[in-house]
Amino acid sequence: METFGHFTLLKRLGAGGMGEVFLAKLQGGDFTTVKRILPHLTENPRFLRLFLDETRIASRLVHPNIARITEFGEVDGTWFVAMEYVPGKDLRELLRRARDVEHPIPASVVAKFAVQIAAALDAAHSATDAQGRSLKIVHRDVSPHNILVTTEGTVKLIDFGVAKAANKSMHTATGILKGKFPYMAPEQASAKHV
């Protein structure tokens, strides 16, 4: 266990190119998920502006199939994003387990997941700012790793950290791909307008 601001980090859930993710508990007693951004990234002013812009935009998304960002900020020079705690597994793990036991996920369950993911994406694509202008959010990393399935079977889309939005201050440099190639939209893989 580690104290991090008003969070107690209970267990490391994973790590990636941007940071480490922890199961955490707030001082008030509620569980949450905390993603701490790697220090070398936030030392880059361009990355920090991009991170803050995209996190502000993603924090506006409120939908039952999107894991809500509850807080973001800095503790002793380390930037973080806190997100609602989603008890369950990511779709990558469920697919791996189904493959291991040679029992595919039933088509009816797959269809239910697809409908919920589509609803989350529609909410993101339809999101507007306070003046009603489209935020033009495109997730760009809809992959099994970023789809959580709760213990009740509800899907929650996570990690809008690579989302493309119109009002962010930084834009992706030409020739730089964001997301995972096998899950990219054809227009993105072809370097066309997403």
Side-chain angles (χ1 to χ4, degrees), residues 113-123:
F113 290 173
V115 166
Q116 292 180 50
I117 294 164
L121 292 172
D122 179 62

Side-chain angles (χ1 to χ4, degrees), residues 97-172:
R97 286 185 182 182
R99 198 171 34 251
D100 288 351
V101 297
E102 298 180 4
H103 187 75
I105 297 173
S108 61
V109 174
V110 172
K112 177 183 170 187
F113 290 173
V115 166
Q116 292 180 50
I117 294 164
L121 292 172
D122 179 62
H125 296 171
S126 302
T128 59
D129 65 14
Q131 289 74 40
R133 294 178 299 228
S134 174
L135 292 174
K136 298 183 182 176
I137 297 173
V138 178
H139 189 285
R140 297 200 291 179
D141 196 13
V142 181
S143 59
H145 177 74
N146 286 329
I147 298 167
L148 301 180
V149 181
T150 69
T151 52
E152 291 84 28
T154 302
V155 168
K156 296 266 189 177
L157 187 58
I158 63 168
D159 205 356
F160 280 81
V162 294
K164 179 183 176 187
N167 64 348
K168 67 185 181 187
S169 65
M170 302 298 298
H171 297 282
T172 304

Side-chain angles (χ1 to χ4, degrees), residues 8-86:
T8 300
L9 305 180
L10 302 172
K11 177 183 174 185
R12 187 172 134 170
L13 300 174
M18 262 184 61
E20 300 176 291
V21 180
F22 297 88
L23 171 62
K25 200 166 191 177
L26 290 162
Q27 286 180 349
D30 291 334
F31 287 103
T32 190
T33 305
V34 173
K35 182 174 192 174
R36 285 197 306 201
I37 307 305
L38 296 174
H40 74 276
L41 292 174
T42 55
E43 290 170 5
N44 176 336
R46 183 178 187 276
F47 173 85
L48 185 56
R49 280 192 307 273
L50 181 63
F51 164 73
L52 291 173
D53 287 346
E54 291 186 344
T55 303
R56 278 187 198 100
I57 290 164
S59 68
R60 297 181 62 89
L61 298 175
V62 179
H63 188 272
N65 299 116
I66 297 175
R68 180 150 170 80
I69 292 174
T70 56
E71 181 181 352
F72 62 98
E74 178 185 15
V75 173
D76 298 326
T78 301
W79 286 88
F80 72 92
V81 175
M83 179 180 76
E84 74 173 283
Y85 171 62
V86 179

